């Protein structure tokens, strides 16, 4: 298994280009199931998660071709023939979001058998709302031996669906199913994450009829078929936010490009409150901090978009470990998402966790140590802490990191961070 070694103490100076959003790319890839025409996605991140999903799509008979085009990395999907609608456990367990192929497979072919997902170990993460939405659209659903078998021989039909609470995954899944359903679907209490807007806009470019974009109510008028399209993936706000925090932690001045400042506003507001200088630009932000000056502790509560993203909570906690005073961090989206706290404590952080609340008492210095990544976002928080920890920090299990961060060592290294990958043997992830 690969590990990442960070030599703490270097300030960061330079530019980091933001990649296309993982959480958007994987939903856009699932949209390729819906059409027998080519879908071309540009600004595609190359990550373990997109690779897993590519493998799954190939198994359905979709041709997936990755190239480096004039607009950067792109992937072409050609789903002329769907030869299989079976998604095996071995592929779905690698990445939860691949469960979202169920709806589009049903929409296109009327049947599918998809394994229940595995994925990040952050709380229970059920899929009951996904199945509730598909049943409401007329699918008959059976659960057997870890698999969901779904049938809608006459096609899905539009339905009014009110989610009991906001779920990003269930909203996207219902949207992917509804575009080819007969009649109108109304999704109430829909999630408003920018990646959902990106998916909806791409579907519209493919010929779908969707209203209420970026609101909590989506109205979808089903169409009988969708076209291909060319679509550029929205910038990754979580990657962007992570590097913004990294720059704030290490100190120095970093310009984040190919991003969008508005997508990380909730984070940058908190960073500014803590004493970081953040200047929005046309395609990103400039993050500046004098490493000699200590940041102030500030409190955050994770919320649905446009609130503070749960996917940035671990990184912000790392930032708070050396701030002056106490920071109270409330996690309201996922229970059990503080697994990084004991790992940060190995570096000398002072954190106590009670239920959904973490209290971080800022310390003056962190000290390097071996630590273990427990999930995708937690792994980057350990790299961030390692940037200031005295001596060397080695993060184990970086396959979590590889699921969502493209060329991390290269991007941070270009700004002066001393981050190296230690190649492991027999890594199957
Ligand atoms: C997505 C993102 C993830 C982000 C999260 C919240 C992807 C691949 N993942 O995850 O990075 O952290 O949104 O912004 O895009 N729930 C149920 N039943 C369901 C579905 C969800 O109870 O059927 C619960 C979950 O356990 C959780 C809450 O709803 O407590 C929110 O989950 P959801 O928004 O669905 O998150 P994901 O789509 O899994």
């Amino acid at each position: 298994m690969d590990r990442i070694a960070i030599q703490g103490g270097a300030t960061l100076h330079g530019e980091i280009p933001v990649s296309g959003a993982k959480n958007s790319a994987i939903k856009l890839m699932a949209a390729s199931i819906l059409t027998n025409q080519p879908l071309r996605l540009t600004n595609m991140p190359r990550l373990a998660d997109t690779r897993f999903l590519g493998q799954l799509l190939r198994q359905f008979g979709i041709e997936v071709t990755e190239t480096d085009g004039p607009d950067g990395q792109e992937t072409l999907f050609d789903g002329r023939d769907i030869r299989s609608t079976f998604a095996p456990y071995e592929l779905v367990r690698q990445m939860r979001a691949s469960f979202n192929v169920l709806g589009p497979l049903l929409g296109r072919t009327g049947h599918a058998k998809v394994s229940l997902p595995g994925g990040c170990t952050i709380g229970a993460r059920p899929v009951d709302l996904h199945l509730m939405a598909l049943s409401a659209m007329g699918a008959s659903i059976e659960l057997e031996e870890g698999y969901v078998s779904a049938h809608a021989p006459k096609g899905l039909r539009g339905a009014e669906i009110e989610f009991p609470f906001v779920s990003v995954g269930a909203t996207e899944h219902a949207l992917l199913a509804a575009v080819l359903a007969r009649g109108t679907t109304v999704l109430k209490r829909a999630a408003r994450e920018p990646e959902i807007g990106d998916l909806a806009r791409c579907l519209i470019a493919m010929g779908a009829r969707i209203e209420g974009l970026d609101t909590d109510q989506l109205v979808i008028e089903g169409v009988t078929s969708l076209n291909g399209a060319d679509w550029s993936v929205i910038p990754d706000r979580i990657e962007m936010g992570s590097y913004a925090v990294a720059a704030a932690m290490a100190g120095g001045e970093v310009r984040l490009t190919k991003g969008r400042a508005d997508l990380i506003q909730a984070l940058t507001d908190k960073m500014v409150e803590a004493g970081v200088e953040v200047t929005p630009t046309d395609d990103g932000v400039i993050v500046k901090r004098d490493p000699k000056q200590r940041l102030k502790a500030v409190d955050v509560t994770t919320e649905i978009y446009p609130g503070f993203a749960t996917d940035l909570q671990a990184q912000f906690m790392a930032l708070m470990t050396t701030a002056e005073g106490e920071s109270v961090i409330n996690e309201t989206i996922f229970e059990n998402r503080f697994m990084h706290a004991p790992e940060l404590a190995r570096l000398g952080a002072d954190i106590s966790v009670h239920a959904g609340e973490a209290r971080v008492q800022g310390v003056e210095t962190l000290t390097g140590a071996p630590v273990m990544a427990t999930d995708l976002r937690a792994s980057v928080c350990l790299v961030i802490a390692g940037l200031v920890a005295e001596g060397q920090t080695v993060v184990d299990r970086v396959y979590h990191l590889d699921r969502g961060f493209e060329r991390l060592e290269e991007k941070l290294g270009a700004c002066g961070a001393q981050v190296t990958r230690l190649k492991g043997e027999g890594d199957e992830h």
Side-chain angles (χ1 to χ4, degrees), residues 22-23 26-27 96-97 124-130 165-170 172 193 310-311 333-335 337 377:
K22 168 183 93 74
N23 284 352
I26 52 187
K27 313 306 163 56
R96 270 187 69 77
R125 302 188 87 175
V127 288
D128 52 328
L129 300 184
H130 299 228
F165 52 89
V166 178
S167 158
V168 177
E172 285 163 339
E193 266 59 9
T310 169
D311 282 356
I333 310 291
F334 293 109
E335 81 244 42
R337 204 180 193 174
R377 308 306 176 186

Side-chain angles (χ1 to χ4, degrees), residues 205-348:
M206 293 166 74
R209 295 173 59 189
I210 306 167
E211 280 174 20
L213 268 65
D214 306 319
T215 73
D216 64 358
Q217 178 161 314
L218 292 170
V219 180
I220 304 124
E221 199 69 56
V223 293
T224 50
S225 66
L226 291 174
N227 315 314
D230 266 10
W231 194 256
S232 173
V233 180
I234 194 174
D236 195 318
R237 63 195 166 98
I238 307 303
E239 189 205 22
M240 182 176 180
S242 302
Y243 289 130
V245 174
M249 187 76 172
E253 184 171 335
V254 173
R255 174 187 280 266
L256 298 171
T257 60
K258 296 183 71 184
R260 265 176 52 185
D262 61 310
L263 298 180
I264 57 164
Q265 182 83 40
L267 168 72
T268 51
D269 284 351
K270 288 291 173 182
M271 287 172 52
V272 169
E273 216 180 302
V276 184
E277 230 181 272
V278 182
T279 316
T281 64
D282 281 354
D283 73 339
V285 288
I286 298 169
V287 179
K288 195 171 165 190
R289 179 166 97 83
D290 175 357
K292 289 193 286 296
Q293 242 156 24
R294 236 176 131 185
L295 294 178
K296 262 199 337 266
V298 292
D299 300 340
V300 299
T301 298
T302 63
E303 279 166 72
I304 54 177
Y305 190 82
F308 193 100
T310 169
D311 282 356
L312 289 168
Q313 178 256 108
Q315 297 86 319
F316 199 79
M317 184 185 287
L319 185 66
M320 290 295 101
T321 57
T322 55
E324 196 161 8
E326 184 184 63
S327 158
V328 181
I329 299 179
N330 274 291
E331 172 58 59
T332 70
I333 310 291
F334 293 109
E335 81 244 42
N336 197 10
R337 204 180 193 174
F338 286 131
M339 280 161 339
H340 42 283
E343 297 300 313
L344 288 171
R346 290 176 55 77
L347 302 175

Side-chain angles (χ1 to χ4, degrees), residues 24-331:
S24 195
I26 52 187
K27 313 306 163 56
L28 293 166
M29 288 173 77
S32 72
I33 297 169
L34 294 166
T35 175
N36 60 9
Q37 293 178 22
L39 174 67
R40 179 173 162 262
L41 299 180
T42 56
N43 197 30
M44 273 293 281
R46 300 273 188 251
L47 300 163
D49 271 12
T50 52
R51 207 173 54 241
F52 293 141
L53 191 52
Q55 275 171 20
L56 186 58
L57 295 175
R58 285 194 182 103
Q59 143 119 6
F60 302 148
I62 297 175
E63 274 177 41
V64 180
T65 317
E66 294 187 346
T67 49
D68 278 329
D71 309 320
Q73 293 169 172
E74 61 176 69
T75 310
L76 187 71
F77 301 85
D78 188 339
R80 220 165 307 177
D81 300 309
I82 298 290
R83 289 195 297 271
S84 159
T85 58
F86 176 61
Y89 175 64
E90 298 71 55
L91 288 176
V92 179
R93 83 181 165 92
Q94 316 244 30
M95 202 240 316
R96 270 187 69 77
S98 50
F99 183 70
N100 282 19
V101 298
L102 178 63
L105 283 174
L106 263 181
R108 171 106 179 248
T109 71
H111 57 89
K113 184 171 177 180
V114 176
S115 168
L116 285 164
C120 269
T121 47
I122 45 171
R125 302 188 87 175
V127 288
D128 52 328
L129 300 184
H130 299 228
L131 299 181
M132 178 273 272
L134 296 176
S135 314
M137 284 186 236
S140 70
I141 289 177
E142 279 172 52
L143 297 181
E144 45 186 32
E145 291 165 3
Y147 279 84
V148 178
S149 273
H151 294 270
K154 295 192 187 122
L156 294 170
R157 53 165 195 271
E160 192 170 304
I161 297 162
E162 181 164 355
F163 294 111
F165 52 89
V166 178
S167 158
V168 177
T171 302
E172 285 163 339
H173 204 165
L175 176 61
L176 281 164
V179 284
L180 287 182
R182 252 175 304 117
T184 309
T185 299
V186 182
L187 302 180
K188 294 187 175 170
R189 206 169 287 124
R192 295 191 284 148
E193 266 59 9
E195 294 76 26
I196 294 174
D198 199 35
L199 173 64
R201 287 179 176 84
C202 174
L203 289 168
I204 290 170
M206 293 166 74
R209 295 173 59 189
I210 306 167
E211 280 174 20
L213 268 65
D214 306 319
T215 73
D216 64 358
Q217 178 161 314
L218 292 170
V219 180
I220 304 124
E221 199 69 56
V223 293
T224 50
S225 66
L226 291 174
N227 315 314
D230 266 10
W231 194 256
S232 173
V233 180
I234 194 174
D236 195 318
R237 63 195 166 98
I238 307 303
E239 189 205 22
M240 182 176 180
S242 302
Y243 289 130
V245 174
M249 187 76 172
E253 184 171 335
V254 173
R255 174 187 280 266
L256 298 171
T257 60
K258 296 183 71 184
R260 265 176 52 185
D262 61 310
L263 298 180
I264 57 164
Q265 182 83 40
L267 168 72
T268 51
D269 284 351
K270 288 291 173 182
M271 287 172 52
V272 169
E273 216 180 302
V276 184
E277 230 181 272
V278 182
T279 316
T281 64
D282 281 354
D283 73 339
V285 288
I286 298 169
V287 179
K288 195 171 165 190
R289 179 166 97 83
D290 175 357
K292 289 193 286 296
Q293 242 156 24
R294 236 176 131 185
L295 294 178
K296 262 199 337 266
V298 292
D299 300 340
V300 299
T301 298
T302 63
E303 279 166 72
I304 54 177
Y305 190 82
F308 193 100
T310 169
D311 282 356
L312 289 168
Q313 178 256 108
Q315 297 86 319
F316 199 79
M317 184 185 287
L319 185 66
M320 290 295 101
T321 57
T322 55
E324 196 161 8
E326 184 184 63
S327 158
V328 181
I329 299 179
N330 274 291
E331 172 58 59

